[in-house]
């Protein structure tokens, strides 16, 4: 099994680019079907969702606009802090009457998406849903899991396909899971 090192940690291949491609296509079809005849405002959460978003929107067949939001919870560690310490991109955003789709790389505790959903509460959007490539049901503490979801994974730390470890690994086309410390 393919192993890589990032900073002080060792990671092993978990989900290949081919599996990701198939799943992204499946999720995109589900979204296109659900919003048939409607228009979407897509709100990807940066930085992690940049790659998933780029692949996903190419296969969403309803009219759409994109508006990027930056939000961070993780810092440089490998577990969720449960605190959103930064949110950017909601200024001059008018979502009244719009169908909004938040796009996330991975949902862990669910605090990030719930924070963003609360921040959008005053906007009077027609609907607000979440699409995520990955989610960790055992870590989730929110009320409802995202409406559109890809891979269910264990409560482990992953990198690649947009997701980082201390800002590294985002460019990897496959997803890797942490298996331990790097040997000296
Ligand atoms: P939550 O707020 O749901 O606990 O965490 C969501 C955010 O934390 C995601 O947007 C993602 O940026 C980051 N995150 C959660 N789990 C992982 C993981 O396993 N690996 C990486 N790289 N980031 C994660
Ligand atoms: Mg994120």
């Amino acid at each position: 099994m393919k192993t890589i090192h990032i900073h002080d940690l060792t990671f092993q291949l978990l989900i290949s680019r081919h599996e990701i491609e198939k799943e992204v296509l499946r999720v995109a079809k589900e979204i296109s079907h659900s919003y048939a005849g409607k228009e979407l405002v897509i709100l990807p959460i940066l930085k992690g969702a940049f790659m998933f978003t780029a692949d996903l929107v190419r296969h969403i067949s309803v009219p759409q606009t994109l508006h990027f939001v930056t939000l961070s919870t993780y810092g440089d560690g490998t577990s969720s802090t449960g605190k959103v310490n930064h949110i950017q991109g909601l200024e001059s955003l008018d979502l009244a009457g719009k169908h909004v789709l938040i796009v996330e790389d991975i949902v862990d505790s669910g605090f990030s998406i719930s924070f963003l959903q609360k921040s959008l509460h005053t906007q009077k959007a027609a609907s607000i849903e979440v699409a995520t490539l990955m989610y960790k049901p055992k870590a989730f503490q929110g009320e409802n899991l995202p409406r559109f979801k890809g891979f269910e994974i264990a409560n482990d730390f992953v990198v690649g396909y947009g997701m980082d470890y201390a800002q590294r690994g985002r460019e990897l086309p496959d997803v890797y899971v942490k298996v331990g410390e790097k040997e000296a």
Side-chain angles (χ1 to χ4, degrees):
M1 188 56 84
K2 191 175 174 197
T3 289
I4 58 164
H5 301 293
I6 301 178
H7 298 301
D8 56 332
L9 299 181
T10 301
F11 295 84
Q12 210 170 58
L13 185 64
L14 180 70
I15 306 171
S16 75
R17 63 197 75 183
H18 305 293
E19 292 170 279
I20 294 171
E21 199 182 331
K22 270 192 354 212
E23 189 61 13
V24 170
L25 206 66
R26 190 196 62 75
V27 173
K29 276 195 184 139
E30 197 185 331
I31 292 169
S32 303
H33 186 256
S34 300
Y35 292 97
K38 294 176 180 149
E39 280 185 32
L40 268 179
V41 178
I42 298 180
L43 292 191
I45 303 183
L46 295 176
K47 300 174 189 170
F50 84 94
M51 204 177 277
F52 175 43
T53 301
D55 288 341
L56 185 73
V57 296
R58 277 182 259 201
H59 301 287
I60 295 181
S61 57
V62 302
Q64 56 189 274
T65 57
L66 274 162
H67 192 95
F68 293 88
V69 172
T70 304
L71 203 143
S72 58
T73 48
Y74 250 61
D76 284 345
T78 60
S79 65
S80 186
T81 58
K83 280 192 206 122
V84 176
N85 44 38
H86 193 68
I87 184 161
Q88 229 182 334
L90 294 185
E91 320 80 28
S92 73
L93 193 60
D94 182 11
L95 300 175
K98 306 274 175 65
H99 293 284
V100 178
L101 183 64
I102 296 168
V103 178
E104 190 45 310
D105 47 359
I106 183 160
V107 171
D108 187 307
S109 66
F111 291 141
S112 304
I113 51 169
S114 118
F115 185 88
L116 182 55
Q117 280 165 320
K118 278 189 197 127
S119 312
L120 298 176
H121 208 71
T122 53
Q123 288 266 356
K124 298 192 168 48
S127 68
I128 302 179
E129 300 288 354
V130 177
T132 188
L133 177 68
M134 309 185 69
Y135 66 107
K136 305 178 189 176
K138 290 211 174 74
F140 189 70
Q141 296 178 48
E143 278 165 24
N144 301 305
L145 278 167
R147 163 101 183 265
F148 305 100
K149 42 195 187 312
F151 301 100
E152 171 177 329
I153 64 161
N155 213 349
D156 294 323
F157 184 72
V158 294
V159 294
Y161 199 70
M163 293 172 282
D164 73 308
Y165 169 43
Q167 298 305 326
R168 294 267 310 275
R170 293 192 195 275
E171 75 284 7
L172 297 165
D174 312 283
V175 170
Y176 293 80
V177 63
K178 178 191 159 190
V179 288
E181 315 298 314
K182 185 175 168 180
E183 284 162 40

